[in-house]
Amino acid sequence: MEVPNEQRAMFWQAIHRQPVSIAEIRENVVDQVYQQSVPNLINSLIRRSLIEKAKPTLLEKTDGLFFLQPVVMEYVTERFIL
């Protein structure tokens, strides 16, 4: 069964539990054919409040990193385990 790229990206983020960049998603999650559509994938997940963009701090530059909402992370983790 083919898993849609959005689901694959969410499962991958739930496993890593760290904010990830678009480049990391392109490299590790999305098939080569769909790599150009990763920004659209991210925007779609943001619009539905499934992921958030990390806010940069003074000490570290986190601009362009994305993470799952905590409740979404727990749900996705449970779904992945089942």
Side-chain angles (χ1 to χ4, degrees):
M1 182 171 100
E2 181 71 24
V3 177
N5 285 321
E6 287 182 351
Q7 272 187 323
R8 195 177 303 164
M10 290 175 62
F11 284 145
W12 190 75
Q13 286 183 309
I15 291 167
H16 288 279
R17 302 183 98 65
Q18 299 287 330
V20 296
S21 69
I22 288 177
E24 289 173 299
I25 294 170
R26 276 189 179 132
E27 288 175 18
N28 299 294
V29 181
V30 180
D31 296 332
Q32 265 190 333
V33 175
Y34 299 106
Q35 287 186 356
Q36 295 296 337
S37 66
V38 170
N40 291 335
L41 179 146
I42 295 296
N43 285 332
S44 175
L45 294 172
I46 289 172
R47 275 194 311 276
R48 289 181 280 149
S49 300
L50 296 171
I51 64 171
E52 284 187 31
K53 187 172 182 177
K55 299 194 183 344
T57 65
L58 294 174
L59 297 176
E60 59 186 8
K61 192 171 184 112
T62 58
D63 192 35
L65 297 181
F66 302 89
F67 63 95
L68 289 176
Q69 295 271 358
V71 70
V72 174
M73 183 178 296
E74 292 308 312
Y75 175 78
V76 170
T77 301
E78 285 181 25
R79 300 294 299 172
F80 188 67
I81 292 171
L82 298 176

